[in-house]
Amino acid sequence: MTLFEEGLKMHLKMIFSIFTLLIALGPLGCATTSEQKPFTKHPEVNWEKCVQQIPTGPDSPTNPYPRIQDFPWMSRNEWCTRVLRILNDPVRADAKLGFMGDSITQMWPKDLGAEKFSDYKPIWMGIGGDRTQTLLWRMENGELKGLSLETLVLLIGTNNLSAGDSPEEVTKGVNLTIDQIRKYQPQTRIILMAIFPREQSPADPLRIKVRQTNQLLSASAKSWKVDFLDIGPGLVEKDGTISKKIMGDFVHLTPTGYVIWADAVTTALRKQSRG
């Protein structure tokens, strides 16, 4: 076999491999695995609609906006998979407690959630990297429809701040989020979490923005008549620094940090039940 023939053979093999991969991925590079076939319950959003969504308006904290970009830690396709997984979670029919937010909510330890909140049959509605605008899009596309929640725990905004949004802009986004929760779940009591402290030093610019935002959110919670729960003091050391025992990367909670959050929510739920 000549060098030309060997090269042509390798080239044809490469084309065949790419063609096979494209068939496996389906339209727009979306894997057509059995994991995705059950995603049919909610006509508001399906796989094709999610990945083909063309946003309207600005990518701002108050405008519903889907994930349209790939990140090294989560592709747009994976984001759509997580959206649909929440929409098709079998616990939806019985859930009395919901947790809604970003990766900090997504990463709740399952065993801890089951231990602390089994009586409430909780549903976890957290997706890594989400901001108020993506949360608004998720609600607009059916995330809260069909639920009958007694309480919803909302934690959102840290990714807005790290993306450059101001405390005032983030507060407007959270306010609109609460408004939409009331629209879709008017019977639900809302526990609005203060944004967790982040970055190791209390003098870090992002930590300062978190404090400024929480001051605004506290005032908003009063006007909305929702419970405002700030566990920040329990997540930091006496000097204001964050320990890796609580946040390994100074953003996301460790199992120890989740216990602090779980205990605080448990106490808040008891208070709600009494009055």
Side-chain angles (χ1 to χ4, degrees):
M1 184 179 292
T2 67
L3 288 174
F4 173 79
E5 290 173 328
E6 288 181 351
L8 179 61
K9 185 177 179 181
M10 290 179 62
H11 186 66
L12 290 173
K13 281 185 175 180
M14 184 179 296
I15 292 175
F16 179 77
S17 298
I18 294 172
F19 180 72
T20 303
L21 178 61
L22 289 174
I23 291 175
L25 288 175
L28 294 177
C30 307
T32 54
T33 63
S34 59
E35 180 184 47
Q36 291 157 14
K37 289 180 181 178
F39 297 153
T40 57
K41 294 181 182 178
H42 286 262
E44 295 92 346
V45 58
N46 55 37
W47 180 264
E48 289 77 14
K49 178 180 178 181
C50 185
V51 297
Q52 297 176 13
Q53 180 77 19
I54 299 175
T56 57
D59 183 6
S60 67
T62 56
N63 184 52
Y65 208 87
R67 181 78 60 82
I68 62 170
Q69 63 209 108
D70 291 331
F71 294 103
W73 39 268
M74 184 185 294
S75 68
R76 182 181 185 183
N77 287 0
E78 186 179 356
W79 184 82
C80 287
T81 297
R82 293 183 183 278
V83 168
L84 293 166
R85 191 172 291 151
I86 292 170
L87 288 172
N88 290 275
D89 192 326
V91 79
R92 293 180 70 89
D94 300 314
K96 299 302 178 187
L97 172 64
F99 288 80
M100 178 176 272
D102 50 38
S103 58
I104 303 173
T105 296
Q106 178 187 323
M107 294 167 66
W108 259 94
K110 291 183 179 179
D111 54 346
L112 178 64
E115 174 191 343
K116 295 288 187 179
F117 307 115
S118 59
D119 291 345
Y120 299 92
K121 297 180 174 60
I123 181 170
W124 311 96
M125 299 176 286
I127 302 181
D130 270 8
R131 299 169 290 161
T132 56
Q133 51 263 60
T134 35
L135 196 51
L136 289 168
W137 186 91
R138 284 160 49 190
M139 286 190 287
E140 191 176 77
N141 286 273
E143 186 154 302
L144 291 182
K145 292 182 180 179
L147 294 172
S148 297
L149 299 175
E150 294 176 358
T151 304
L152 189 146
V153 181
L154 174 65
L155 174 63
I156 196 70
T158 194
N159 292 318
N160 288 86
L161 292 173
S162 63
D165 294 325
S166 70
E168 291 77 15
E169 290 170 328
V170 176
T171 301
K172 289 179 181 178
V174 174
N175 282 338
L176 187 55
T177 300
I178 294 172
D179 179 71
Q180 292 302 292
I181 293 171
R182 288 268 173 87
K183 173 183 175 181
Y184 293 112
Q185 294 286 302
Q187 80 291 340
T188 299
R189 301 183 70 169
I190 299 170
I191 297 176
L192 174 61
M193 300 300 305
I195 298 173
F196 294 168
R198 58 178 298 167
E199 314 309 323
Q200 186 174 23
S201 169
D204 188 277
L206 262 179
R207 181 85 75 88
I208 294 171
K209 288 178 70 175
V210 166
R211 289 196 294 268
Q212 292 170 341
T213 306
N214 283 337
Q215 289 175 353
L216 297 173
L217 292 179
S218 177
S220 289
K222 291 179 182 178
S223 64
W224 281 104
K225 294 181 172 58
V226 303
D227 295 332
F228 184 69
L229 184 55
D230 185 1
I231 66 169
L235 300 176
V236 300
E237 302 296 302
K238 291 181 179 180
D239 61 0
T241 59
I242 296 176
S243 167
K244 285 193 174 184
K245 293 180 180 179
I246 301 297
M247 294 182 182
D249 60 357
F250 306 120
V251 176
H252 298 94
L253 298 176
T254 63
T256 300
Y258 278 104
V259 169
I260 294 171
W261 189 7
D263 288 344
V265 171
T266 299
T267 300
L269 291 171
R270 287 173 182 164
K271 289 181 179 178
Q272 283 188 351
S273 66
R274 291 197 297 264

